[in-house]
Amino acid sequence: MLFEFAVRDRPQRSFSDMGLDMLDQIMTSVTEFFEWLMADGTIWAIWTTAAVLLFVGLRFLRAIVAGLFKNDSRPANSFRNIVGHLISATNSLFLLVLSFVVTIPFVGIELSERWHSILMSSFMVLFVLQGAFWGRVVVKALLEGMMEKHSSDTGTLRNAQSLIGLFANFAIFAIALITILQNLGQDVGALIAGLGVGGIAIALAAQNLFKDLFASLSIILDKPFVKGDFIVWNGLMGNVERIGLKTTRVRALSGEQLVVSNDSLLSNEIQNFKRMAERRVVLSLGVTYQTSRETLEALPGRLRDLIDPRDLCRFDRAHMATYGDSAIVFELVFYVQSPEYNIFMDEKQEILLGIHRLFEELNADFAYPTRTLWVEGMGGAGKAE
């Protein structure tokens, strides 16, 4: 009720009345300006001429210096290119107001308190906005430098660059707005609190998106795997086809495409078989206990002779390892120097066939689980196998 009473008692003003009041204020300011101009016309002309000449000189200097620093043959994030883009990003309106501010002491003009306050406030606003534009140039240069270092993932990184640039520009200009309002004497506490609450709300609403985005950047920058790698994680495996901002697409061995969120993918241990320089093979060979001692002594050397001539294989060791339950066990270790699985299996197959030929040459028998049973009867002892 109190609110309704206050509204009824407040004088009602139409938009036309408000427009007339604003027009009166503008006319008053213009009248004061021309009165001051008529009183100090000569010094005003000198000040304006000096400021305009300085402005033209600064623009000319901006073009020359920016051209000297920019170099397309250098990386986008090099010091020279960053300085060149900073100079090019200097706004002409900022240079114009700067020219008028700088020339005041040299001309000796005395502005009224009102006009001096307007000029300095305008310069402050433009200076803060110019700083925001410079900050945007630096952020863009850093992102471009990141693009150049990771050229193999330009598609995904370009999307990430746009999103990161959007967030960075929002933060830069939000800080600039707060700085301007604070310097104009406004209370920015409520605005900062509002931005903080809004930022928390947005972060909570899009936390899954941000988690996948940061995971995507981790994949692109840290490179645990790249497009074309064969990876195994959490019992799944396949070739990486595409790394996106939210998901990674993997082509499984059975043919279907697996779409996995980046955060879920990085939360598991990943085996990257593409990064293998070589594959280690351990073979256990069992020979019968009836094998002669000479054959047992010759077998390790003959196994080495079988592996050494092969270009894609590297011999490690061959030893008689142990006496097993039904066999004398030899252990052969060698490396296939190729990450390709088909090549690995081809080499392993040739080695296994070579071992079979070797056993035929040595008259050695492969052991298999056997049991000997001794039966003692009334007529004597017998043996059954």
Side-chain angles (χ1 to χ4, degrees):
M1 295 297 294
L2 292 174
F3 176 74
E4 293 177 357
F5 176 78
V7 171
R8 282 197 303 268
D9 287 356
R10 183 180 297 170
Q12 299 294 323
R13 301 184 63 195
S14 64
F15 286 105
S16 60
D17 293 337
M18 296 174 63
L20 290 174
D21 290 345
M22 186 177 297
L23 182 60
D24 289 340
Q25 293 179 4
I26 294 174
M27 292 301 297
T28 302
S29 298
V30 172
T31 302
E32 292 179 358
F33 174 75
F34 277 105
E35 289 178 353
W36 168 77
L37 178 62
M38 295 300 294
D40 300 307
T42 303
I43 194 170
W44 178 85
I46 296 173
W47 180 40
T48 303
T49 303
V52 170
L53 290 175
L54 179 59
F55 169 68
V56 173
L58 288 176
R59 289 200 59 181
F60 184 70
L61 183 63
R62 179 185 64 182
I64 293 177
V65 176
L68 290 175
F69 274 93
K70 288 182 181 179
N71 190 342
D72 294 335
S73 62
R74 291 178 175 269
N77 62 336
S78 65
F79 177 76
R80 287 190 56 177
N81 278 325
I82 292 177
V83 173
H85 287 295
L86 286 174
I87 295 173
S88 297
T90 306
N91 190 270
S92 295
L93 182 59
F94 169 71
L95 292 178
L96 179 61
V97 177
L98 175 65
S99 301
F100 277 98
V101 172
V102 169
T103 52
I104 289 178
F106 297 97
V107 176
I109 191 171
E110 294 184 2
L111 298 176
S112 64
E113 182 177 352
R114 180 180 180 181
W115 284 105
H116 184 270
S117 176
I118 292 174
L119 180 62
M120 298 310 296
S121 297
S122 301
F123 175 73
M124 182 274 299
V125 171
L126 291 173
F127 178 76
V128 174
L129 290 176
Q130 183 60 62
F133 287 124
W134 285 334
R136 188 173 66 173
V137 170
V138 173
V139 170
K140 183 179 179 181
L142 294 177
L143 293 177
E144 288 292 338
M146 185 172 61
M147 283 285 298
E148 291 179 359
K149 292 181 180 179
H150 304 274
S151 57
S152 59
D153 303 292
T154 53
T156 304
L157 196 57
R158 182 68 66 182
N159 295 331
Q161 178 189 10
S162 301
L163 193 56
I164 295 173
L166 179 63
F167 290 145
N169 289 333
F170 175 79
I172 289 172
F173 282 98
I175 295 173
L177 176 61
I178 292 173
T179 304
I180 290 172
L181 293 177
Q182 189 173 17
N183 281 275
L184 292 177
Q186 302 296 320
D187 184 10
V188 297
L191 178 60
I192 294 175
L195 289 174
V197 173
I200 293 174
I202 294 174
L204 291 175
Q207 59 179 335
N208 291 331
L209 175 62
F210 287 141
K211 286 168 63 177
D212 288 325
L213 172 62
F214 292 134
S216 173
L217 292 177
S218 298
I219 293 172
I220 294 172
L221 301 178
D222 195 39
K223 292 185 180 298
F225 55 84
V226 296
K227 181 180 177 181
D229 286 0
F230 184 85
I231 61 174
V232 177
W233 81 101
N234 197 27
L236 302 172
M237 63 182 67
N239 289 289
V240 179
E241 288 190 336
R242 181 179 178 274
I243 303 171
L245 285 178
K246 182 172 176 58
T247 61
T248 293
R249 288 165 173 77
V250 180
R251 182 66 61 181
L253 293 179
S254 52
E256 74 274 16
Q257 187 182 68
L258 304 176
V259 181
V260 191
S261 70
N262 293 325
D263 180 64
S264 174
L265 188 60
L266 287 187
S267 63
N268 294 284
E269 293 183 356
I270 300 174
Q271 294 176 276
N272 191 337
F273 285 89
K274 189 73 173 182
R275 305 285 175 86
M276 294 177 62
E278 54 188 14
R279 293 174 181 260
R280 186 172 185 260
V281 183
V282 179
L283 295 178
S284 293
L285 307 173
V287 298
T288 61
Y289 276 97
Q290 288 76 23
T291 306
S292 65
R293 182 170 55 83
E294 290 79 8
T295 301
L296 296 178
E297 291 175 347
L299 192 55
R302 297 296 298 273
L303 290 173
R304 176 167 192 161
D305 294 340
L306 182 66
I307 302 236
D308 280 342
R310 306 196 66 85
D311 294 334
L312 293 178
C313 294
R314 178 169 63 85
F315 177 82
D316 185 28
R317 61 183 178 83
H319 294 95
M320 178 177 169
T322 186
Y323 291 105
D325 292 338
S326 58
I328 300 174
V329 180
F330 283 80
E331 192 172 76
L332 170 64
V333 181
F334 64 94
Y335 291 88
V336 178
Q337 296 176 308
S338 173
E340 297 295 332
Y341 189 73
N342 287 341
I343 296 178
F344 162 71
M345 289 303 298
D346 289 341
E347 292 295 323
K348 185 177 179 181
Q349 175 179 266
E350 291 299 322
I351 297 297
L352 291 175
L353 293 174
I355 292 173
H356 194 277
R357 288 192 298 270
L358 176 62
F359 272 50
E360 289 180 344
E361 294 175 7
L362 297 176
N363 292 321
D365 294 324
F366 288 99
Y368 51 87
T370 58
R371 177 178 297 175
T372 301
L373 180 63
W374 290 86
V375 181
E376 184 175 355
M378 294 180 59
K383 182 178 72 171
E385 294 187 358

